[in-house]
Amino acid sequence: MSLAKKYPKEVKQILAKYPPEHKRSAVMPLLYLAQREGGYITKEAMQDIADTLEISVTDVGAVVGFYTLYHDKKEGKYRMQVCTDLPCALRGADQFMETLCANLGIKVGETTPDGLITLEAVTCLAACDKAPMFQIQSAEGIEYHEDMTVDKTMELIETLKKANVEVK
Amino acid sequence: MSYVLLRHRDIPDINTLNVYKKNGGFEAFKKVVTKMKPGEVTDTVKASGLRGRGGAGFPTGVKWSFIDNKIWPHYVVANADESEPGTFKDREIMESNPFQFLEGVAIASYAVGANAAYVYLRGEFWQVAKFLDEKIAEMEEAGYLGEKLFGTDYSLHIYTHLGAGAYICGEETAMLESIEGKRGMPRIRPPFPAVYGLYGKPTVVNNVETLTNLPMILANGADWYKNMGTPDSAGVKVFSLSGRIRKPGNYELPFGTTFRQLIYEHGGGVLDGRPVKAIMPAGASSSFIVADEKVLDMQMDYATVRTLGADLGSASVIVIDDTVSIDWIINKTIHFFKHESCGKCTPCREGTYWMMHLIEDIRDDKHSTANVDLLLNVARQMQNKCLCPLGEFSTMAVVTGIERFPQDFKESNKQVLTEPA
Ligand SMILES: Cc1cc2nc3c(=O)[nH]c(=O)nc-3n(C[C@H](O)[C@H](O)[C@H](O)COP(=O)(O)O)c2cc1C
Ligand code: SF4
Ligand code: FES
């Protein structure tokens, strides 16, 4: 189903932000909308957005490819994006990440066998005073988790697991 | 002294419209729209000495005066991309004192004759954008945004636009491309945004912190602002303090505060009571300052930091103690810039790639002089050849790290160069 049919109110609101002759500007917010389905953007969704904005699907694909928060492949339901950039690393982020990998039995970039968590290392998230920290990106959006410990993180993962079983 | 920017630390609930209003909120905006000409607003900001807080420190009022009045419409873009490693001040401002920031956007828009302004937030600030959308809606409802404001002919709408994970979009022309729905790659300048900006129209791009200063400057006058700070760097600055420090966080202080005051009085000193070895005053883009007792007593303002062979930039002060080796640090910064290079121009794309391989070799037990010399050489060759400042930024820590801490790149020293615990 097209985005305009599925989210008529949101699409209208998004288009209203930009001058009508520059509706291409809506490509980024529309991609976020499309990503609400399963946490990644399908070929069909890109075509739909291209049609809505009267640009080529190549132009839409180029935007998807350029920005790291858009995904064109299905991964874990939750992308756990741990900041291992300089200021966080000065406060133990690398060790935090290592222990997390060991606990989950996966490497950076991999997904847990149950398909729940994809672990990623990312650059500074503007929370350097609250390291170790990560964000969780999912179909619902992005959530920060700051001043974390490995224990707290494992608890959080347990909660996510339980919630996931319940909806299934 | 009471806060100018982080006023939520003095006034609880200033993020609600009523509390903000009770504390003088929107009076400055109302005053400028009903009683001042746009040029007078620009003159006041010029006289205040306010300089841009996004990194370059360009005088704000002067920037506004470059806007081309022969071409219309005009736009204002608030730079809320905040992606420089070590910088986390704009986020606190927007989350905790959102109306003062939005009033600042409104004042800037009136001054340059813009009827539409965009707030460009990095994609990770997804929740902040939602929050600002709510605050914008409240302002519209209360008559502070929308058509024919305060019974005049002036109209203004503010919109948020979310990026999606790309440091380069903090560079103003890449940001404009991104709002236009394209890949965020810098434009060749000139023409500058003041002439050819968003949708090819005259545009002012200002940082969140810069804009948040405006309501207080217009309310209290240019002299009030100018009397804080130093002659070269007027006013207050939010210093984001991070790294090997007991109390990392944001500290709003007048320019001219010393490194020692920031690190020891406010930041509680270095972890485990170790000595400060180096300071990166402008995040990952910094040149290293070699710290000693004399340097710690130097003032943090644009001119003084320059005498130390560095730039104050966005004042994202990363503290490095003697347990950390500089080769480890530049390994981090090089990986950052390699990842964030947009790939548009060859020196930066290829240079960051080579620097990454060289530093990995050096860290892999091969602290050979040849490798270190080659790394320094690659970095130097990149300088002055890149299309936008990112390429240059990627070389700052490399060149100054090797030049100012040569012992950290010597094989004989490598066993004592441990990773921080
Ligand atoms: C690679 C790069 C990244 C930048 N990132 C930011 C940023 O995250 N936030 C910001 O305000 N300015 C950033 N800037 C500076 C902007 O290009 C621009 O100068 C600034 O937003 C102007 O606002 P100001 O005059 O109020 O400082 C960056 C510049 C470069 C070259
Ligand atoms: S210097 Fe780097 S980031 Fe800037 S345009 Fe060239 S490749 Fe892109
Ligand atoms: S370095 Fe991790 S949030 Fe800034």
Side-chain angles (χ1 to χ4, degrees), chain B residues 52-54 63 79 82-83 167 170-172 205-207 210 389:
Chain B
R53 306 298 195 232
K63 182 191 270 192
N79 191 337
E82 189 157 70
S83 306
Y167 167 71
E171 192 283 328
E172 56 188 20
V205 183
N206 274 133
N207 168 261
T210 312

Side-chain angles (χ1 to χ4, degrees), chain B residues 51-58 60 63 79-84 90 167-173 205-208 210 388-390 393:
Chain B
R51 296 171 63 166
R53 306 298 195 232
F58 195 83
T60 305
K63 182 191 270 192
N79 191 337
D81 196 56
E82 189 157 70
S83 306
E84 178 70 40
D90 298 338
Y167 167 71
I168 188 58
C169 287
E171 192 283 328
E172 56 188 20
T173 61
V205 183
N206 274 133
N207 168 261
V208 169
T210 312
C388 89
L390 185 147
F393 289 169

Side-chain angles (χ1 to χ4, degrees), chain B residues 200-217:
Chain B
K201 303 297 179 191
T203 301
V204 158
V205 183
N206 274 133
N207 168 261
V208 169
E209 184 186 349
T210 312
L211 293 162
T212 306
N213 275 292
L214 297 172
M216 301 290 272
I217 292 175

Side-chain angles (χ1 to χ4, degrees), chain A residues 17-18 22 24-25 27-28 32 66-69 84-85 90-91 94-95 123-124 126-128 135 140 144 146, chain B residues 85 88 91 118 122 124 126 160-161 163-165 178-182 184 199 243-245 332 336 340 420:
Chain A
K17 284 185 172 188
Y18 309 98
H22 296 292
R24 177 179 183 158
S25 284
V27 65
M28 294 182 73
Y32 277 121
F66 186 81
Y67 298 94
T68 58
L69 289 175
T84 56
D85 215 343
L90 284 166
R91 310 186 72 79
D94 286 333
Q95 287 83 346
T123 51
C124 182
C128 328
Q135 63 181 7
E140 286 99 62
Y144 272 47
E146 302 173 300
Chain B
F88 43 88
R91 181 178 159 217
Y118 291 91
R122 60 179 300 177
E124 293 83 353
W126 189 82
T160 57
H161 183 100
S178 183
I179 302 177
E180 290 181 6
K182 302 171 197 155
Y199 308 125
R244 308 288 292 169
I245 188 88
K332 282 285 180 189
F336 172 78
E340 301 298 344

Side-chain angles (χ1 to χ4, degrees), chain B residues 136-153:
Chain B
I136 291 168
E138 285 175 37
M139 281 172 71
E140 282 169 356
E141 188 123 321
Y144 297 120
L145 288 175
E147 303 297 318
K148 299 205 182 297
L149 297 170
F150 313 110
T152 69
D153 275 340

